[in-house]
Amino acid sequence: MPEPTAPSSRGAIDLAAFKQPQPEQLNETGDAGVPTWVRSVDQEFFPEIVALSQQVPVVVSLGSPRSPASVQLDELLASVVDAKGGTLAMATVDAEKEAAIAQAFQVTQVPAVIALINGQPVPLFQGNAELAQIQSLIEELLSLGVQNGVAGTIAPLGTSAAAAGEEAAVVLPALHQAALDAIESGDLEAAEAAYKQALNEKPNDNDASIGLNQVRLLMRTEGKDLAAVRAAGAENPDGLAAQMEVADMDLIGGHVEDAFARLVGFIGRHSGDEKEAGRARLVELYSVVGVGDERVVASRQKLARVLF
């Protein structure tokens, strides 16, 4: 989804500056125009795969192209994944070339297959597997995705070159386009309404959810005086509203790490409803920046420490 451009107002900036490439940019050429939800991934693109796992479960196959067993396993996995028509995706990783990814998953032998749901690893199996076993595991994985609110449908990650050329002009869903048009005209309330309607019609619309969080950030910060907000935050370090306002202004001003650190600190010092409200706001800001962004990944680790 094209990123919304902020309307002209005090403190507003182009939120696209925060965002990493979206999962739709992970295109890879498939065979003879047949759509595929499988692609090879290196360390550079792995954050996008992690982000994609918030929409659908992602199967990660770590192997070696020099291993016939790995190649055969990937073919079996790909056939099952593609048969699901976008309800899950698959990333193949050359564990020899991408040792950092293998180490992150603590993989010591290949082939090894792991899934990602909401960025969290779910071990599946090591070594070879029969088609029936793979199909059964995939069904269990999809059920686990539903239980964790990850049950969307995504466009193919790859098409043939000819098909890609035909689809070069991307047409956004009508409500998404209406929201972007409203943002460009400065009507944030209309943009919010359009994104909310999109989510009412399709609760798993991840792009609409991100867009809604972006618009709400702009609405909260529009017309605010940075100095006054900072002064109020300094006077009331344990006030939830004051600290969330400063975090919003920090984020919109490009001070991403400061915004995250402020809310993580607040969450660590409080309990009950205030703690949960701070956590919910922080998760919103994560989506605005992009779940694959390294600053979000680092902050999530700090958040986990203060939560658990």
Side-chain angles (χ1 to χ4, degrees):
M1 178 186 74
E3 299 300 332
T5 301
S8 297
S9 63
R10 177 180 294 182
I13 63 171
D14 182 0
L15 294 176
F18 295 133
K19 300 291 287 179
Q20 293 210 2
Q22 294 300 300
E24 288 80 3
Q25 292 175 285
L26 293 172
N27 288 336
E28 182 173 84
T29 301
D31 295 330
V34 177
T36 181
W37 287 265
V38 181
R39 72 148 292 153
S40 61
V41 173
D42 58 16
Q43 190 172 357
E44 178 183 359
F45 285 103
F46 199 76
E48 279 73 34
I49 286 295
V50 175
L52 193 64
S53 74
Q54 291 202 331
Q55 299 179 56
V56 296
V58 178
V59 176
V60 182
S61 177
L62 297 107
S64 168
R66 298 189 295 108
S67 166
S70 287
V71 173
Q72 183 179 19
L73 177 61
D74 284 350
E75 290 174 352
L76 284 176
L77 285 166
S79 68
V80 176
V81 168
D82 282 343
K84 296 301 180 181
T87 56
L88 73 161
M90 175 178 164
T92 61
V93 177
D94 184 339
E96 296 176 349
K97 291 177 62 178
E98 305 298 332
I101 297 177
Q103 290 171 5
F105 284 117
Q106 299 181 343
V107 168
T108 57
Q109 68 178 55
V110 296
V113 182
I114 297 164
L116 289 171
I117 293 180
N118 268 333
Q120 299 301 309
V122 180
L124 295 181
F125 63 89
Q126 288 189 325
N128 293 324
E130 299 296 328
L131 178 60
Q133 180 187 3
I134 291 172
Q135 290 172 328
S136 177
L137 285 170
I138 291 301
E139 292 301 327
E140 293 179 15
L141 181 63
L142 289 170
S143 296
L144 186 61
V146 171
Q147 294 170 25
N148 286 272
V150 180
T153 302
I154 60 170
L157 300 182
T159 58
S160 69
E166 293 172 1
E167 297 174 4
V170 177
V171 178
L172 291 175
L175 287 168
H176 289 225
Q177 187 61 58
L180 294 180
D181 291 343
I183 291 170
E184 289 177 1
S185 67
D187 190 346
L188 297 180
E189 290 184 357
E192 181 187 34
Y195 280 132
K196 287 173 68 175
Q197 182 60 32
L199 285 168
N200 286 336
E201 294 180 4
K202 187 179 178 183
N204 290 323
D205 189 338
N206 188 62
D207 285 340
S209 179
I210 292 172
L212 181 60
N213 288 338
Q214 291 175 336
V215 168
R216 285 177 171 170
L217 174 64
L218 292 174
M219 294 174 76
R220 292 195 303 267
T221 56
E222 188 175 32
K224 293 284 181 69
D225 181 88
L226 177 59
V229 170
R230 285 194 177 281
E235 292 174 3
N236 194 4
D238 289 314
L240 174 63
Q243 295 309 304
M244 289 197 301
E245 280 196 352
V246 179
D248 283 347
M249 296 299 287
D250 277 344
L251 195 75
I252 208 78
H255 303 290
V256 177
E257 293 94 338
D258 291 343
F260 291 167
R262 179 177 294 275
L263 290 182
V264 169
F266 180 90
I267 293 165
R269 298 192 305 271
H270 293 79
S271 59
D273 292 343
E274 286 193 330
K275 181 176 189 144
E276 174 55 26
R279 186 203 64 80
R281 174 60 58 82
L282 183 56
V283 171
E284 280 189 26
L285 298 188
Y286 285 160
S287 92
V288 170
V289 176
V291 293
D293 189 287
E294 62 183 12
R295 296 164 295 186
V296 172
V297 174
S299 180
R300 280 191 184 277
Q301 294 172 351
K302 296 173 183 175
L303 175 62
R305 287 196 287 271
V306 299
L307 286 176
F308 307 109

